[in-house]
Amino acid sequence: MTTTRALPVLIIGGGFSGSMLAARLAEKGQASVVIERSEQLGLGVAYSTQEDVHRLNVRTANMGALADKVGDFQQWLEVHHPDHADPEGFAPRRLYGAYIQSRLGAVEKSHPDLIRWVQGQATAINGTTVTLADGTKIEGRAVVLASGNPPPRTSRDSDSARSIPDPWAKGALEQIGRSDDVLVLGTGLTMVDVFLSLNAAGWEGKAVALSRRGLAPRAHIYGRHQAAPLPDAALTGCLSRRVKAARAVAASSDWRDVMDGYRSRTATLWEAADTDTRARFLRHLRPWWDVHRHRIAPDVAAVIDQLGEAGRLEIAAGRVKSITEIDRGLDVVWNPRGTHGERIASVQWVIDCTGPGHDPARDPLTAPLVAAGRLSIDPLGLGLQVAPSGQAIGKNGTEDPTFFVLGPPARAAFWETIAVPDLRQRIEELAQQLA
Ligand SMILES: Cc1cc2nc3c(=O)[nH]c(=O)nc-3n(C[C@H](O)[C@H](O)[C@H](O)COP(=O)(O)OP(=O)(O)OC[C@H]3O[C@@H](n4cnc5c(N)ncnc54)[C@H](O)[C@@H]3O)c2cc1C
């Protein structure tokens, strides 16, 4: 008979979060099974790109996978890719994928038989048993959901053959002709990646990119940067007072330093905020938070700026009203924000870059668990309710000691749990609990 202690931890999702958790567990002597549907472990959407133009949006010096060794990635680059080892630089994401796989390989070698990778789609979770699409059942002592960002909510135009609902799908952008015009829904980091890819492929068309506020990611600067010390007024009290205090600090330093000052405290501030404060943040501040917090490399920003200056890219605030198929293209009617007017963009393609559509009640893996009350949904609709320990919270408010959530699906608990500097901290905390 298998004893509970001998059972592995089951990790659903083998992107950065799942694979690096497995590595930390192995280093602590705990076996795990990583269930990953794609062909490669450790990459996820972010690091599976092979295009050099797709760059990290966090400085090399801060991208180490280990909470107690943040310079680890830079040291790895110095040995393997010295041309990219500038600590202040923003390396190609494919190199980060290679780094993760190399770390995983090293841990597998030094701690043999503690990480088992099962390629397959997890389709059901019963107790601590996970069922795969082919019917295989795997029993563990705990389940960790590390499934990353869900795909976007299907946009209204997804039926059209000229709509690209998932720009990350293999070959999705290759359909776009050199002189085709495009309309992009969403003006965030995915939009940036799409234009980097198109630009590198020699695309010469024109584009409109739309979002509710028309805000695009701001740029990092090379050289001087330092987290600004934040006064109490920027950390407590009502949000408008905090914003005023933060602006005052930015006026005498740089707004990037202010955002970096918030970075290490974000999860604590989020935890301390009540539902009303969180709701106000989401309603009024979130679009500005996102574009200032998730910045792009300066030379990546230059590519986007050049497209704008050449009159080939208009980033606008507006809403799509209708999309009609015309001969060899689509007519998109949209309302510019704050007007009753209409504009028409005649394009060959519409690309959905609206980002992940977190909705555990519609995800086939989590929906039955939500319906049964084992999982519950955050009152603001951000995703699953998760305790600061990472344990999932059921409908009756109790924490489940055998069900953990890691990475983007846990954002309702931590808000910022997307980028490596936040994830490696969560991984460390979870590894300590599970081992
Ligand atoms: C385009 C892009 C660029 C980014 N750039 C940066 C950056 O420069 N720096 C930074 O710090 N962060 C960056 N991020 C944030 C990024 O999300 C994290 O760094 C990290 O990759 C998240 O890892 P994850 O494992 O939590 O999620 P993911 O990487 O999404 O991995 C989840 C994995 O789970 C698998 N999966 C999902 N459901 C199932 C299932 N039911 N069964 C089996 N497998 C399943 C998926 O196939 C996937 O491989 C970027 C994100 C994106 C999308």
Side-chain angles (χ1 to χ4, degrees):
M1 200 184 96
T2 329
T3 63
T4 308
R5 277 192 60 206
L7 288 171
V9 170
L10 306 184
I11 304 172
I12 300 175
F16 172 85
S17 300
S19 63
M20 289 300 96
L21 175 64
R24 283 304 287 138
L25 288 174
E27 284 170 330
K28 290 173 185 288
Q30 170 63 52
S32 64
V33 176
V34 184
I35 301 161
E36 167 57 49
R37 63 187 168 203
S38 74
E39 284 164 9
Q40 283 183 304
L41 210 53
L43 303 183
V45 168
Y47 311 119
S48 51
T49 175
Q50 288 306 305
E51 295 186 56
D52 269 349
V53 289
H54 289 160
R55 307 262 297 285
L56 293 174
N57 53 29
V58 175
R59 284 183 171 80
T60 294
N62 194 21
M63 278 296 284
L66 292 153
D68 61 352
K69 221 175 149 202
V70 300
D72 193 48
F73 176 51
Q74 191 207 326
Q75 285 157 16
W76 183 86
L77 283 177
E78 273 166 14
V79 175
H80 300 279
H81 301 275
D83 291 355
H84 289 285
D86 173 7
E88 297 298 306
F90 301 86
R93 296 208 299 265
R94 71 177 175 81
L95 294 185
Y96 196 72
Y99 158 69
I100 292 304
Q101 291 191 326
S102 141
R103 170 160 159 68
L104 199 55
V107 174
E108 280 175 321
K109 210 167 156 194
S110 57
H111 300 81
D113 304 325
L114 286 179
I115 303 176
R116 183 158 79 94
W117 172 32
V118 174
Q119 192 186 354
Q121 168 97 18
T123 52
I125 304 165
N126 296 96
T128 51
T129 299
V130 174
T131 306
L132 307 188
D134 66 1
T136 308
K137 290 189 190 308
I138 308 173
E139 197 191 345
R141 53 174 275 241
V143 175
V144 179
L145 184 69
S147 51
N149 280 315
R153 285 193 183 127
T154 315
S155 55
R156 63 167 91 195
D157 54 294
S158 60
D159 290 344
S160 164
R162 292 198 162 267
S163 158
I164 299 178
D166 179 6
W168 303 117
K170 210 167 181 216
L173 301 180
E174 285 164 21
Q175 316 168 72
I176 298 174
R178 212 179 173 86
S179 55
D180 284 356
D181 293 337
V182 300
L183 183 124
V184 170
L185 301 169
T187 59
L189 293 169
T190 308
M191 171 206 76
V192 171
D193 268 5
V194 162
F195 286 117
L196 292 174
S197 295
L198 291 176
N199 196 50
W203 169 75
E204 291 167 349
K206 286 189 172 182
V208 177
L210 289 182
S211 63
R212 275 170 64 186
R213 296 184 199 258
L215 296 171
R218 307 302 199 246
H220 284 284
I221 41 170
Y222 282 123
R224 191 200 67 85
H225 59 90
Q226 200 177 11
L230 299 177
D232 266 1
L235 302 168
T236 53
C238 73
L239 290 181
S240 53
R241 181 173 157 240
R242 294 191 210 187
V243 172
K244 200 172 160 196
R247 283 205 172 118
V249 180
S252 59
S253 57
D254 183 278
W255 60 263
R256 295 170 188 83
D257 298 348
V258 175
M259 294 311 290
D260 290 351
Y262 275 115
R263 181 160 196 161
S264 59
R265 302 159 182 259
T266 308
T268 319
L269 290 172
W270 185 258
E271 250 175 68
D274 58 21
T275 305
D276 277 356
T277 308
R278 291 181 183 186
R280 276 200 300 281
F281 170 83
L282 295 174
R283 202 175 319 121
H284 301 296
L285 290 178
R286 179 186 183 173
W288 278 276
W289 174 271
D290 283 348
V291 295
H292 290 88
R293 164 72 185 77
H294 300 284
R295 303 190 286 274
I296 51 180
D299 41 334
V300 165
V303 173
I304 302 300
D305 290 347
Q306 279 158 17
L307 288 172
E309 283 155 19
R312 291 179 50 211
L313 169 61
E314 177 187 357
I315 297 178
R319 267 209 145 105
V320 170
K321 208 173 152 203
S322 65
I323 299 178
T324 316
E325 295 227 24
I326 52 167
D327 187 29
R328 297 188 58 245
L330 299 163
D331 265 354
V332 184
V333 179
W334 60 279
N335 293 127
R337 186 181 166 94
T339 73
H340 295 294
E342 281 182 356
R343 286 182 57 188
I344 300 181
S346 296
V347 296
Q348 277 68 53
W349 302 95
V350 170
I351 311 173
D352 191 338
C353 296
T354 50
H358 294 268
D359 188 354
R362 288 172 61 184
D363 179 320
L365 184 60
T366 49
L369 300 170
V370 172
R374 185 174 180 196
L375 297 176
S376 59
I377 295 184
D378 162 72
L380 298 171
L382 288 172
L384 294 172
Q385 292 227 72
V386 178
S389 61
Q391 291 178 6
I393 299 178
K395 198 177 167 189
N396 60 5
T398 52
E399 295 173 24
D400 185 335
T402 61
F403 197 128
F404 296 81
V405 186
L406 173 65
R411 67 182 186 153
F414 307 108
W415 182 238
E416 291 286 337
T417 183
I418 304 165
V420 165
D422 309 297
L423 294 175
R424 65 184 173 220
Q425 193 55 41
R426 301 272 153 250
I427 289 169
E428 195 53 44
E429 287 163 12
L430 198 48
Q432 271 172 29
Q433 281 187 71
L434 285 167

